[in-house]
């Protein structure tokens, strides 16, 4: 999946009014995810994404993730986006939905394994029945 396609899907799923809002949602969500999960896992996830998007996950290689709740995750995304936590939660769910279709099932399972059970609300169900197929 290419960068533009990824952002367009996030914009559609989150029902955002502009591409800029979608890009901000992607950046805020992935930068917060980078803080939460093991740095090497973030690097592995980044390697399966378009380079410009993957950059939001790089920089913590070799470091452990910080333990914070899903509500704190939403609060951190909200602060980065300058939106309220409810809006941030909607945006973060959209980003994770697109992530689930953009990376291999094994990689998404690794991300899921790095998150505590309270993150289930953020994660789309495993093995979605209809994945977005990237055009050739």
């Amino acid at each position: 999946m290419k960068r533009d396609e990824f952002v367009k899907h996030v914009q559609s799923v989150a029902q955002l009014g502009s591409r800029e809002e979608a890009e901000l949602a992607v950046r805020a969500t992935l930068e917060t995810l980078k803080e939460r999960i093991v740095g090497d896992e973030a690097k592995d996830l980044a390697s399966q994404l378009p380079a410009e998007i993957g950059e939001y996950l790089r920089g913590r290689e070799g470091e452990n993730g910080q333990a914070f709740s899903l509500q704190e995750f939403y609060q951190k995304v909200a602060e980065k986006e300058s939106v309220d936590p409810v809006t941030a939660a909607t945006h973060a769910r959209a980003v994770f939905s697109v992530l689930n279709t953009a990376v291999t099932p094994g990689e998404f399972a690794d991300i899921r394994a790095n998150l505590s059970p309270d993150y289930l609300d953020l994660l789309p169900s495993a093995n979605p029945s209809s994945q977005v197929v990237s055009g050739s």
Side-chain angles (χ1 to χ4, degrees), residues 1-2 14 27 31 47 49 54 58 65 68 81 97 100 102 104 117 128-129 132:
M1 183 177 287
K2 295 187 165 127
R27 181 179 191 146
E31 285 181 348
S47 72
L49 295 171
R58 297 188 188 280
F68 49 82
E81 275 193 86
S97 177
N100 192 33
T104 64
S129 55
V132 174

Short mmCIF file of all heavy atoms in Angstrom, two decimals, residues 1-2 14 27 31 47 49 54 58 65 68 81 97 100 102 104 117 128-129 132:
data_model
loop_
_atom_site.label_atom_id
_atom_site.label_comp_id
_atom_site.label_asym_id
_atom_site.label_seq_id
_atom_site.Cartn_x
_atom_site.Cartn_y
_atom_site.Cartn_z
N MET A 1 0.85 -1.17 0.00
CA MET A 1 0.00 0.00 0.00
C MET A 1 0.90 1.24 0.00
O MET A 1 1.86 1.31 0.74
CB MET A 1 -0.88 -0.05 1.26
CG MET A 1 -1.86 1.07 1.35
SD MET A 1 -2.97 0.99 2.81
CE MET A 1 -4.04 -0.35 2.36
N LYS A 2 0.55 2.19 -0.83
CA LYS A 2 1.32 3.43 -0.92
C LYS A 2 0.82 4.44 0.11
O LYS A 2 -0.29 4.33 0.63
CB LYS A 2 1.18 4.01 -2.33
CG LYS A 2 1.81 3.11 -3.36
CD LYS A 2 1.82 3.77 -4.71
CE LYS A 2 2.75 2.99 -5.58
NZ LYS A 2 2.39 2.51 -6.78
N ALA A 14 -12.34 7.17 9.00
CA ALA A 14 -12.59 8.13 10.09
C ALA A 14 -13.57 9.22 9.69
O ALA A 14 -13.95 10.04 10.53
CB ALA A 14 -11.27 8.75 10.55
N ARG A 27 -0.13 10.29 11.89
CA ARG A 27 1.11 10.63 12.61
C ARG A 27 0.93 10.53 14.12
O ARG A 27 1.75 9.92 14.83
CB ARG A 27 1.57 12.03 12.22
CG ARG A 27 2.86 12.42 12.90
CD ARG A 27 3.33 13.80 12.51
NE ARG A 27 4.68 13.98 13.00
CZ ARG A 27 5.61 14.65 12.41
NH1 ARG A 27 5.34 15.27 11.26
NH2 ARG A 27 6.80 14.76 12.92
N GLU A 31 2.92 7.71 16.24
CA GLU A 31 3.93 8.19 17.19
C GLU A 31 3.59 7.74 18.61
O GLU A 31 4.49 7.40 19.40
CB GLU A 31 4.05 9.71 17.12
CG GLU A 31 4.78 10.19 15.88
CD GLU A 31 4.93 11.69 15.80
OE1 GLU A 31 4.27 12.42 16.58
OE2 GLU A 31 5.70 12.15 14.93
N SER A 47 8.75 -1.26 8.74
CA SER A 47 9.32 -1.85 7.53
C SER A 47 8.24 -2.35 6.57
O SER A 47 8.52 -2.55 5.38
CB SER A 47 10.28 -2.99 7.88
OG SER A 47 9.56 -4.12 8.35
N LEU A 49 5.37 -0.65 6.07
CA LEU A 49 4.56 0.51 5.69
C LEU A 49 5.31 1.39 4.70
O LEU A 49 6.53 1.29 4.60
CB LEU A 49 4.22 1.33 6.95
CG LEU A 49 3.34 0.62 7.98
CD1 LEU A 49 3.25 1.43 9.25
CD2 LEU A 49 1.95 0.36 7.40
N GLY A 54 6.16 4.96 7.85
CA GLY A 54 7.00 4.17 8.73
C GLY A 54 7.91 5.02 9.60
O GLY A 54 8.26 4.63 10.72
N ARG A 58 9.84 5.02 13.88
CA ARG A 58 11.27 4.78 14.08
C ARG A 58 11.85 5.68 15.18
O ARG A 58 11.27 6.69 15.52
CB ARG A 58 12.01 5.00 12.77
CG ARG A 58 11.58 4.02 11.70
CD ARG A 58 12.46 4.09 10.46
NE ARG A 58 11.94 3.29 9.38
CZ ARG A 58 12.09 1.98 9.28
NH1 ARG A 58 12.75 1.30 10.19
NH2 ARG A 58 11.58 1.32 8.24
N GLY A 65 8.81 -0.56 25.52
CA GLY A 65 7.67 0.33 25.42
C GLY A 65 7.27 0.82 26.80
O GLY A 65 7.59 0.20 27.81
N PHE A 68 1.16 2.25 29.37
CA PHE A 68 0.08 3.18 29.67
C PHE A 68 -1.22 2.62 29.10
O PHE A 68 -1.23 1.86 28.14
CB PHE A 68 0.34 4.62 29.21
CG PHE A 68 0.81 4.82 27.79
CD1 PHE A 68 -0.08 4.83 26.73
CD2 PHE A 68 2.16 5.02 27.53
CE1 PHE A 68 0.36 5.05 25.43
CE2 PHE A 68 2.61 5.23 26.24
CZ PHE A 68 1.70 5.24 25.18
N GLU A 81 -2.89 15.69 18.23
CA GLU A 81 -3.78 16.16 17.16
C GLU A 81 -4.50 17.47 17.49
O GLU A 81 -5.14 18.04 16.62
CB GLU A 81 -4.87 15.10 16.89
CG GLU A 81 -4.50 14.01 15.96
CD GLU A 81 -5.73 13.24 15.53
OE1 GLU A 81 -6.41 13.66 14.56
OE2 GLU A 81 -6.03 12.22 16.17
N SER A 97 -7.44 0.20 11.88
CA SER A 97 -8.20 -0.56 10.88
C SER A 97 -7.42 -0.64 9.57
O SER A 97 -7.32 -1.71 8.95
CB SER A 97 -9.57 0.10 10.66
OG SER A 97 -10.28 -0.56 9.66
N ASN A 100 -4.30 -2.81 9.87
CA ASN A 100 -4.64 -4.23 9.83
C ASN A 100 -4.70 -4.77 8.40
O ASN A 100 -4.44 -5.94 8.17
CB ASN A 100 -5.98 -4.45 10.55
CG ASN A 100 -6.27 -5.91 10.81
OD1 ASN A 100 -5.36 -6.71 11.06
ND2 ASN A 100 -7.53 -6.25 10.78
N ALA A 102 -2.93 -3.24 5.90
CA ALA A 102 -1.71 -2.82 5.20
C ALA A 102 -0.51 -3.70 5.51
O ALA A 102 0.47 -3.69 4.77
CB ALA A 102 -1.38 -1.37 5.54
N THR A 104 1.16 -7.61 7.15
CA THR A 104 0.85 -9.04 7.18
C THR A 104 0.09 -9.38 8.47
O THR A 104 0.26 -8.71 9.49
CB THR A 104 2.13 -9.88 7.13
OG1 THR A 104 2.90 -9.62 8.31
CG2 THR A 104 2.95 -9.59 5.88
N PRO A 117 -4.66 -6.16 27.45
CA PRO A 117 -6.05 -6.49 27.08
C PRO A 117 -6.98 -5.28 26.98
O PRO A 117 -7.95 -5.33 26.24
CB PRO A 117 -6.50 -7.43 28.21
CG PRO A 117 -5.22 -8.06 28.69
CD PRO A 117 -4.18 -6.97 28.56
N PRO A 128 -9.48 -9.97 9.28
CA PRO A 128 -10.73 -9.41 8.74
C PRO A 128 -11.16 -10.18 7.49
O PRO A 128 -10.37 -10.64 6.71
CB PRO A 128 -10.35 -7.97 8.39
CG PRO A 128 -8.88 -7.97 8.24
CD PRO A 128 -8.37 -9.05 9.15
N SER A 129 -12.48 -10.32 7.35
CA SER A 129 -12.98 -11.12 6.24
C SER A 129 -12.77 -10.43 4.89
O SER A 129 -12.66 -11.10 3.87
CB SER A 129 -14.47 -11.42 6.44
OG SER A 129 -15.18 -10.22 6.63
N VAL A 132 -8.47 -4.80 2.44
CA VAL A 132 -8.27 -3.88 1.33
C VAL A 132 -7.14 -4.46 0.48
O VAL A 132 -6.09 -4.82 0.99
CB VAL A 132 -7.86 -2.48 1.84
CG1 VAL A 132 -7.51 -1.58 0.68
CG2 VAL A 132 -8.96 -1.90 2.68
#
